[in-house]
Amino acid sequence: LRNLGLRHDLYMGTAVSMAALNDAADPRYRELVASEFSTVTAENEMKWESLEPTRGTYNWGPADELIAFAKQNNQRVRGHVLVWHNQLPGWLTTGVNDGSITTEQLREILRNHITTVVKHFKGKIWQWDVVNEAVSDPWDTPSTLHYKGFWAQHLGPDYIADAFRWARAADPKALLFYNDYNIEAFGSGDPANDKTQFVYDMAKSLLAQRVPIDGVGSQGHLGTQYGNYDTLQVAAALKKFAGLGLATAFTEVDVRSQLTEAVQNGDSNEINPRLQASAANYSVLLQACLADRHCLSFTVWGFTDKHSWVPNWFGNEGMANIYDENYQPKRAYNLMKGDL
Ligand code: XIL
């Protein structure tokens, strides 16, 4: 994938689990990260709870190790993530909840976090996910789209503009991205349309305020139970963002399936359609990206079913990745190869 992608100037990426990368009993994982991908993202190691588990004490080790690995293998690094409502350290959320951290202090803590982290990795990060998942979904309350979560609640939506400005000041060369899910498509009949439009309006307004945002990342966590995405609608979403002069990227692609009893019992009549639908969705996103020169990279959120967040997060779902748990390439891998 790596070499085929580069023929189109497209960087093919994966999220990397440092535990898996360092597992001596599982050398295949490390080999495939190196051979198949030209960009890597830390699955968890650059999140706030990992970097600063105790206030003021930074744990750079695992993230630095990934950066060294990437350098060795001539790969670019996506930085993930500076501002998000999940995987925050306990000292921060507790402090805010018990009032020992005031709003003013919280803003200062965020500024300090962004500055410290971006400076630490300065010159080594290609794209930073500066703000992640700031926008609600139609199923949230209220259902009208709004800025959701810890940061909007405590600092108001202006934290987004601040975050981009602080990140730019700390590393002027890194590309600064807004990253979210359910913004993969745009066009009639897609319930996620409104969110794509909302993020578009947000980006447009940030640009109008001269906020340094360079790109929009579409996560791409899809599921076969939701049907197939449409290439034209995915292309339309990318084109909207590109129309603002922004880069785009797919940042966390996986296409999960429900693991019914029949699937678990190995019933090929249930397994095959899932493999096909998963492959088709990977291919739709990849083709849209390939067709748009503003789409810089296509990153999968893990490449093997052996190491996937899906079963842990969604319960009875899985089969989301392009290799199976024995590192056999699946139909999705082969279809993507064909697209490239
Ligand atoms: C996930 C990781 O894959 C898991 O290991 C972790 O337990 C939870 O977070 N959107 C994101 C990613 O932006 O950071 C999330 O990663 C998946 C959803």
Side-chain angles (χ1 to χ4, degrees), residues 43-44 47 80-81 84 87 132-133 179 219 221 252 301 309 313:
E43 186 173 359
N44 289 298
K47 292 172 181 173
H80 178 79
V81 50
W84 190 28
Q87 293 180 277
N132 195 31
E133 302 181 353
N179 194 49
Q219 293 184 357
H221 293 294
E252 307 184 12
W301 204 243
W309 75 303
W313 197 267

Side-chain angles (χ1 to χ4, degrees), residues 14-326:
T14 183
V16 174
S17 145
M18 290 313 286
L21 194 74
N22 287 326
D23 182 354
D26 186 8
R28 193 83 185 117
Y29 185 90
R30 182 175 266 264
E31 283 165 21
L32 286 172
V33 174
S35 63
E36 290 290 334
F37 302 100
S38 47
T39 171
V40 289
T41 308
E43 186 173 359
N44 289 298
E45 289 75 6
M46 290 189 195
K47 292 172 181 173
W48 198 331
E49 70 171 6
S50 307
L51 290 180
E52 197 187 5
T54 309
R55 189 168 182 182
T57 308
Y58 281 86
N59 172 32
W60 303 112
D64 284 347
E65 234 182 86
L66 179 64
I67 288 192
F69 176 90
K71 192 171 179 197
Q72 229 166 45
N73 293 292
N74 200 16
Q75 294 165 315
R76 298 189 175 190
V77 182
R78 296 197 82 257
H80 178 79
V81 50
L82 296 172
V83 196
W84 190 28
H85 53 266
N86 279 342
Q87 293 180 277
L88 291 169
W91 60 262
L92 179 64
T93 45
T94 310
V96 169
N97 290 336
D98 70 16
S100 61
I101 295 176
T102 65
T103 300
E104 214 166 300
Q105 288 167 336
L106 182 64
R107 194 167 176 279
E108 207 41 36
I109 288 171
L110 182 61
R111 189 180 65 79
N112 181 54
H113 174 74
I114 292 175
T115 306
T116 305
V117 172
V118 176
K119 276 200 171 148
H120 176 85
F121 296 112
K122 188 176 176 183
K124 297 170 181 165
I125 300 290
W126 177 34
Q127 307 172 7
W128 263 116
D129 287 334
V130 178
V131 176
N132 195 31
E133 302 181 353
V135 177
S136 69
D137 296 286
W139 55 82
D140 287 325
T141 315
S143 63
T144 330
L145 295 187
H146 57 277
Y147 292 106
K148 71 169 183 194
F150 181 87
W151 295 103
Q153 237 166 296
H154 295 288
L155 298 181
D158 284 349
Y159 82 88
I160 298 173
D162 291 338
F164 280 96
R165 291 192 168 114
W166 293 329
R168 178 70 101 225
D171 183 353
K173 288 195 181 144
L175 294 177
L176 305 183
F177 273 69
Y178 176 77
N179 194 49
D180 213 331
Y181 58 88
N182 282 345
I183 58 169
E184 289 80 7
F186 189 76
S188 62
D190 175 11
N193 261 343
D194 293 355
K195 190 164 171 181
T196 308
Q197 183 67 40
F198 189 98
V199 170
Y200 171 86
D201 292 339
M202 174 197 78
K204 193 172 174 186
S205 130
L206 289 172
L207 288 165
Q209 300 163 65
R210 300 185 160 278
V211 172
I213 175 174
D214 301 306
V216 173
S218 249
Q219 293 184 357
H221 293 294
L222 310 187
T224 58
Q225 66 270 36
Y226 310 118
N228 278 2
Y229 271 65
D230 178 287
T231 314
L232 293 179
Q233 293 194 354
V234 175
L238 294 180
K239 200 168 173 200
K240 255 174 105 65
F241 296 122
L244 294 173
L246 295 171
T248 55
F250 285 103
T251 55
E252 307 184 12
V253 183
D254 54 15
V255 189
R256 62 189 185 269
S257 285
Q258 292 176 312
L259 305 179
T260 59
E261 224 178 284
V263 167
Q264 278 163 339
N265 291 335
D267 179 348
S268 54
N269 288 328
E270 289 238 353
I271 292 173
N272 289 338
R274 286 172 170 74
L275 292 174
Q276 279 165 13
S278 181
N281 277 298
Y282 271 101
S283 173
V284 161
L285 299 191
L286 180 57
Q287 285 184 32
C289 183
L290 267 172
D292 192 322
R293 66 189 172 82
H294 297 92
C295 187
L296 304 182
S297 55
F298 187 94
T299 291
V300 294
W301 204 243
F303 58 95
T304 165
D305 292 342
K306 187 173 182 182
H307 299 286
S308 169
W309 75 303
V310 168
N312 301 328
W313 197 267
F314 296 95
N316 216 20
E317 297 182 45
M319 295 172 61
N321 304 100
I322 61 177
Y323 288 82
D324 70 14
E325 54 281 294
N326 300 311

